Amino acid sequence: MSSNHDVKMSAAQVVSALAVGTIAVLMVGVQPILLGELVEARQVSLEGVGIVAMAEIIMLGLGVVLGDALLPGARLRSITLVAGVCAAGLDLLTLLATGDGALTGVRAAAGLAEGVLIWGTTGVVVRTANPARVGGIFFVAQTLAQALLGVVLANAIIPHWGWRGGFVALGLLALLPCLLAFVQPARLSPLAPPAVSGFRWSAATLQPLAVVFLQLATLGSFWAYLEPLGKAAGFDARSAQTLVAAVLAMQVVGGSLAALAVRRLPVVSTLVACSVLLAIVTTAAHQLPSGNTRDFALACALFGFVWLFMLPFHIGLAFRADPSGRLAGLVPAAQLLGSAFGPLTASFIVEGENASAVPLLSAGFALAAAALVLVGRAPRSAPALRSLP
């Protein structure tokens, strides 16, 4: 067992850390609602709203990377306090920003603060006795919290206070990590140094992050255009939105099952199977004739299930290459950057309202991920994850 699992953490400490990370990614889940309101209010242009969204997601990923490289784990509590205050302040500063450039700058800065909070949560996750299972719980908690906030925003806050009320709510929620910082672990125990763990950057250690990146590019590209694809399949606007909600529900089912099964299924074959399934689903969605709404909905339901089912196995794949947990700490960054890269790439092949080519792009990302998993070298420490209690 690696040294990073030797420090015991209470359930309350782990739950508090997961809550901090869940709050940090709330904006990612409600971006379509709040940014759509900004477009309606002419605070940002339709062309610029995608840049604003991607800037925040990219900076979230960079916040995790910079936290891993620069921030001292021994000061986790004070870092969480500062990042929480910064995120809340930038949410409120969004009320004063107008125009594509100003909003991009403010939301990018907010993403950086949110990324630092995720870095702290990930640091706790990789130091638990069963990081893959705890990671699975974290992914489910994110989805549930984002869905709940989306319902509250759409039905209570925005109808009364508009988009400003939405960002005020986000700002208030961003202050909660300042309280949770005193319940989560005060510090992160040091990971085994490279001289002890044998970790070094190479093709073998980059491979898990590249797989994660490609799989999230698969998900992000198809998900970003799910509503127009649904309309092209024959759904009306309201039915397409209902389909999105159904996919979110299937994500919760998939993530919950993965949290139970992650220790029982082989990491490599599971990720290959998930990639192949995603390729089949997205290709089928592309080939379905217009009006075949039932089959399109079934394909989307399977897509949502596989989405959250495979995420905990990303942590397992990282631990196969590096049992010290250093690589696993960068998995959220690879996930976030991949989820931004997918829609960005898809935007170049969308013609007006026609997004019919996007599922094929997603299938291409999925097959590339499957191939990369298969050609990756079997690490010398492959049994390490199975030895965890």
Side-chain angles (χ1 to χ4, degrees):
M1 185 185 301
S2 56
S3 63
N4 57 301
H5 302 107
D6 293 340
V7 177
K8 299 294 183 182
M9 288 181 284
S10 69
Q13 288 178 315
V14 175
V15 169
S16 297
L18 297 185
V20 169
T22 298
I23 291 167
V25 295
L26 283 175
M27 179 57 183
V28 176
V30 299
Q31 270 187 344
I33 297 173
L34 288 178
L35 295 184
E37 289 295 316
L38 286 174
V39 173
E40 288 292 325
R42 301 195 177 184
Q43 297 291 116
V44 64
S45 71
L46 184 60
E47 295 79 10
V49 72
I51 298 173
V52 174
M54 281 187 288
E56 184 163 0
I57 294 174
I58 289 170
M59 292 306 290
L60 270 160
L62 289 178
V64 178
V65 173
L66 293 175
D68 180 75
L70 302 175
L71 296 180
R75 303 186 64 182
L76 177 61
R77 180 171 293 166
S78 57
I79 290 169
T80 301
L81 288 169
V82 172
V85 170
C86 288
L90 288 160
D91 285 334
L92 297 179
L93 187 60
T94 305
L95 305 180
L96 305 177
T98 302
D100 296 356
L103 279 165
T104 298
V106 172
R107 294 317 306 170
L112 187 63
E114 293 157 356
V116 170
L117 292 174
I118 297 172
W119 161 78
T121 297
T122 306
V124 172
V125 169
V126 302
R127 288 165 173 81
T128 60
N130 195 336
R133 176 173 292 177
V134 175
I137 295 170
F138 180 38
F139 296 132
V140 173
Q142 290 176 32
T143 304
L144 288 172
Q146 290 168 351
L148 177 60
L149 180 59
V151 170
V152 173
L153 287 175
N155 295 282
I157 295 176
I158 290 177
H160 291 91
W161 297 287
W163 65 269
R164 289 182 174 84
F167 281 103
V168 169
L170 274 180
L172 293 175
L173 288 170
L175 289 175
L176 289 179
C178 298
L179 300 176
L180 294 167
F182 293 94
V183 185
Q184 71 172 9
R187 62 181 64 224
L188 297 175
S189 58
L191 296 174
V196 174
S197 67
F199 175 80
R200 62 183 179 86
W201 287 110
S202 65
T205 50
L206 285 172
Q207 182 248 4
L209 298 181
V211 169
V212 172
F213 180 89
L214 287 170
Q215 288 192 323
L216 266 293
T218 302
L219 300 172
S221 52
F222 188 78
W223 179 248
Y225 291 93
L226 181 60
E227 188 168 338
L229 288 169
K231 291 178 181 177
F235 289 94
D236 58 28
R238 185 168 183 175
S239 298
Q241 292 169 0
T242 303
L243 178 63
V244 170
V247 174
L248 288 171
M250 289 303 296
Q251 287 181 27
V252 173
V253 174
S256 300
L257 184 59
L260 298 174
V262 69
R263 293 179 66 194
R264 296 175 173 84
L265 296 177
V267 172
V268 169
S269 11
T270 299
L271 287 176
V272 170
C274 286
S275 285
V276 171
L277 273 174
L278 288 173
I280 292 172
V281 165
T282 51
T283 302
H286 171 76
Q287 294 179 339
L288 286 174
S290 180
N292 198 338
T293 54
R294 185 196 65 178
D295 289 347
F296 186 85
L298 289 174
C300 290
L302 182 57
F303 174 86
F305 178 88
V306 174
W307 182 334
L308 239 65
F309 183 84
M310 72 181 183
L311 295 191
F313 292 90
H314 290 166
I315 296 175
L317 188 67
F319 268 101
R320 284 173 59 88
D322 169 36
S324 76
R326 192 173 306 275
L327 198 63
L330 295 175
V331 164
Q335 290 173 336
L336 288 161
L337 293 174
S339 66
F341 180 78
L344 175 63
T345 307
S347 68
F348 293 113
I349 63 173
V350 173
E351 299 178 359
E353 298 295 318
N354 183 7
S356 61
V358 170
L360 294 180
L361 174 69
S362 297
F365 283 136
L367 292 175
L372 190 57
V373 176
L374 290 172
V375 303
R377 291 186 304 170
R380 55 180 175 79
S381 50
L385 185 65
R386 294 194 297 272
S387 69
L388 298 176

